[in-house]
Amino acid sequence: MANEARIIVEDKEYTCPIITGTEGEKAVDIRALRGDSGYVTFDEGYANTGSCQSNITFIDGEKGILRYRGYPIEELAEHSTFVETAYLIIYGELPTCEQVEAFSSRLARNAAVPNDMEHFFEGYPAKSHPMAILSGLINSLSCFYPQYATNNHQEDLANFDEVAAAALSQVRTIAAMSYRMSQRLPYIYPKKDLRYVENFLHMMFSEPYSEYIPEPEVSKALNLILLLHADHEQNCSTSTVRMVASSEANLFASVAAGVCALWGPLHGGANMAVINMLEAIHADGDDGSTFIADAKTGRKKLMGFGHRVYKNYDPRAKIIGKACERVMNNLGVEDPLLDIAKHLEEVALQDDYFISRKLYPNVDFYSGIIMRVIGIPINMFTVMFGIGRMPGWIANWKEVAEHPNGRIYRPRQIYVGENQRKYVPRDQR
Ligand code: SDX
């Protein structure tokens, strides 16, 4: 069987090689097509276009498979922690005991933001959205660590371990400080002896004279949430990080752009939109049936449902859905929104509108409920997604920076605007 594709345009035949991935996924390599034929391909939204070859994460949307560096998400969710999984995603291997200790020490050493950065928060209105603060301050880290942000890939790679630790550790600190600022509360500084998640919760909820000690169930649930968000192939925000990294921009600038892309309600903002949707349904005394009817008319979207890649159940949604029940039982709390969510899922999965469009719950459908139960404020939900996705963004920046023949990402377009217009003096328009 020929390992090439043949394209015939204007009665001329062009051949394009076929690329086959580790799991057998196929691609037509069109890199020479424009040079040979003058034609580009058109794929609005890149739904059918591979932008890179990557070693980090694999998704099979039809089978509902997600693997980080070859490890199934179900195994990592059961056995690993966010920090260990972050190491795996960034460096490609599960760490030894010594490696994870050294990594944790780097994170601890890099946990506090530069002193002068505290003044940045004073300029923001209390009601500022934390994603706006997060993207601004992460990018500003390059002002405090210019040696890590030279915009020369080789130089920035030489300091990669420290840059990665600074980004991964301080995204958490900036997030907590933005919450404290919004509540006009004093900042709580990171503690050297606390693990990643416990330190975040300490910085969020401790008070100057009373330390917040999370229930083990809460720490476990937050570890799971962050781990499940740690990477996801070329989603909107990760592709944004790669786009920016391809210009040789430093890691802080690249992941700050990822934060901006994640903010949108069609992407990371969906976890907040799900809770707002469930609360509105609850307030209307609806069990979700009316909302489903509206969603089927196109008037509303069932937030937390549907996915560009998963045409089967998002494996992360399955894991989080089960964790919701476990956390609530162990904490002895109930949340009517969970009942509504489960009813929405049950009805939608039996309704042809959703079945025919292969719409299933995605990672955002249950994640907001579990974050609500463990006490994360709703306007921090997308920030939590950003903390979780940081390892994936860092790993993708590294993959672009290390590419031996890396080229700047610069898609083509099809121009459909006006043509050949003649300038008319202003007084004659
Ligand atoms: C994330 O890419 C990633 O990997 C993202 C992510 C990650 O980890 O990085 O997984 C995280 O972003 C998950 C998605 C979170 N977003 C939401 O839950 C928002 C609600 N979902 C939709 O907006 C939508 O499903 C998207 C954005 C997720 C996917 O959009 P697509 O692939 O462009 O699909 P589409 O809009 O073309 O929809 C196809 C059809 C349309 O109907 P028809 O025009 O064929 O009649 O399905 C309908 C859509 O109207 N549809 C929905 C729907 N999602 C799609 N109808 C009702 N409710 C929905 N949620």
Side-chain angles (χ1 to χ4, degrees):
M1 179 176 73
N3 203 27
E4 60 187 17
R6 293 193 189 91
I7 298 175
I8 298 171
V9 283
E10 296 173 25
D11 297 330
K12 277 188 76 178
E13 182 175 297
Y14 303 91
T15 57
C16 299
I18 299 296
I19 296 176
T20 303
T22 310
E23 297 286 338
E25 70 275 35
K26 305 282 185 192
V28 176
D29 181 345
I30 57 161
R31 282 176 288 186
L33 182 64
R34 185 172 182 276
D36 294 347
S37 71
Y39 278 69
V40 297
T41 57
F42 182 69
D43 182 24
E44 201 158 36
Y46 307 121
N48 307 286
T49 295
S51 63
C52 61
Q53 297 184 68
S54 177
N55 298 294
I56 303 168
T57 292
F58 171 73
I59 300 173
D60 182 321
E62 277 62 37
K63 296 177 185 157
I65 290 172
L66 169 58
R67 299 192 191 115
Y68 294 155
R69 299 285 188 178
Y71 292 91
I73 191 68
E74 294 79 5
E75 288 190 29
L76 293 168
E78 188 176 344
H79 302 297
S80 189
T81 65
F82 173 61
V83 166
E84 182 184 71
T85 296
Y87 185 100
L88 167 68
I89 287 172
I90 292 170
Y91 294 101
E93 299 295 337
L94 283 172
T96 62
C97 297
E98 295 73 23
Q99 287 169 329
V100 80
E101 281 315 310
F103 188 51
S104 296
S105 303
R106 273 203 302 278
L107 293 175
R109 194 169 64 241
N110 283 281
V113 298
N115 288 337
D116 287 350
M117 184 168 261
E118 273 191 35
H119 304 304
F120 284 42
F121 291 92
E122 292 153 22
Y124 287 102
K127 293 203 177 306
S128 302
H129 197 294
M131 289 296 274
I133 298 173
L134 198 62
S135 56
L137 267 65
I138 287 177
N139 196 25
S140 300
L141 287 173
S142 59
C143 306
F144 295 91
Y145 305 108
Q147 72 279 24
Y148 295 164
T150 67
N151 284 5
N152 172 297
H153 275 162
Q154 293 321 310
E155 284 185 41
D156 290 346
L157 282 168
N159 293 305
F160 176 76
D161 290 345
E162 286 300 313
V163 187
L168 182 57
S169 198
Q170 292 183 41
V171 63
R172 164 196 52 174
T173 310
I174 293 167
M177 291 177 79
S178 67
Y179 170 68
R180 300 290 294 188
M181 179 281 286
S182 74
Q183 306 299 308
R184 293 299 186 233
L185 292 171
Y187 300 127
I188 301 296
Y189 298 105
K191 291 181 72 174
K192 273 204 178 309
D193 60 339
L194 288 179
R195 292 290 185 201
Y196 190 92
V197 159
E198 288 75 2
N199 227 339
F200 171 73
L201 293 167
H202 161 65
M203 291 188 276
M204 283 282 287
F205 301 125
S206 286
E207 293 308 334
Y209 302 105
S210 70
E211 182 164 354
Y212 170 80
I213 311 284
E215 297 272 350
E217 189 62 46
V218 169
S219 302
K220 186 176 170 197
L222 191 49
N223 251 296
L224 177 65
I225 291 275
L226 297 178
L227 184 155
L228 291 173
H229 285 80
D231 193 42
H232 212 241
E233 284 193 359
Q234 298 311 309
N235 57 84
C236 178
S237 54
T238 301
S239 296
T240 302
V241 170
R242 291 185 78 110
M243 173 72 80
V244 175
S246 75
S247 72
E248 278 217 79
N250 62 80
L251 185 135
F252 298 128
S254 303
V255 297
V259 172
C260 296
L262 186 71
W263 192 358
L266 296 188
H267 190 12
N271 55 22
M272 288 174 61
V274 168
I275 294 298
N276 293 332
M277 172 186 76
L278 295 174
E279 284 181 334
I281 291 170
H282 184 53
D284 291 348
D286 173 23
D287 66 355
S289 310
T290 309
F291 191 92
I292 289 272
D294 285 346
K296 287 165 63 177
T297 64
R299 275 200 303 273
K300 289 181 180 168
K301 271 195 190 300
L302 184 52
M303 299 309 277
F305 252 70
H307 199 277
R308 174 63 58 77
V309 175
Y310 288 121
K311 300 309 171 190
N312 195 323
Y313 219 102
D314 182 334
R316 302 167 297 175
K318 243 183 228 164
I319 295 167
I320 294 180
K322 286 188 192 130
C324 268
E325 308 248 17
R326 186 186 65 241
V327 170
M328 284 187 187
N329 293 337
N330 293 351
L331 294 177
V333 297
E334 289 185 4
D335 186 343
L337 301 191
L338 179 60
D339 298 332
I340 294 173
K342 286 164 70 178
H343 180 70
L344 284 171
E345 177 185 357
E346 187 188 335
V347 172
L349 294 187
Q350 294 168 38
D351 186 296
D352 186 58
Y353 172 91
F354 296 89
I355 296 169
S356 62
R357 292 169 176 80
K358 298 186 178 179
L359 302 177
Y360 293 88
N362 60 50
V363 68
D364 293 303
F365 192 61
Y366 287 108
S367 57
I369 296 174
I370 201 169
M371 284 196 275
R372 216 165 89 108
V373 168
I374 62 180
I376 304 292
I378 183 168
N379 76 337
M380 293 284 287
F381 284 5
T382 309
V383 169
M384 300 315 294
F385 193 147
I387 295 174
R389 187 52 50 89
M390 188 54 79
W393 290 338
I394 291 169
N396 277 273
W397 179 88
K398 184 170 185 277
E399 204 166 59
V400 171
E402 289 177 333
H403 193 300
N405 310 309
R407 302 182 72 199
I408 193 168
Y409 287 22
R410 204 273 184 219
R412 296 286 178 156
Q413 65 161 26
I414 298 298
Y415 178 68
V416 291
E418 299 284 345
N419 67 352
Q420 292 162 10
R421 303 173 88 179
K422 195 157 170 40
Y423 186 81
V424 176
R426 192 171 302 162
D427 56 7
Q428 296 172 32
R429 290 174 199 159

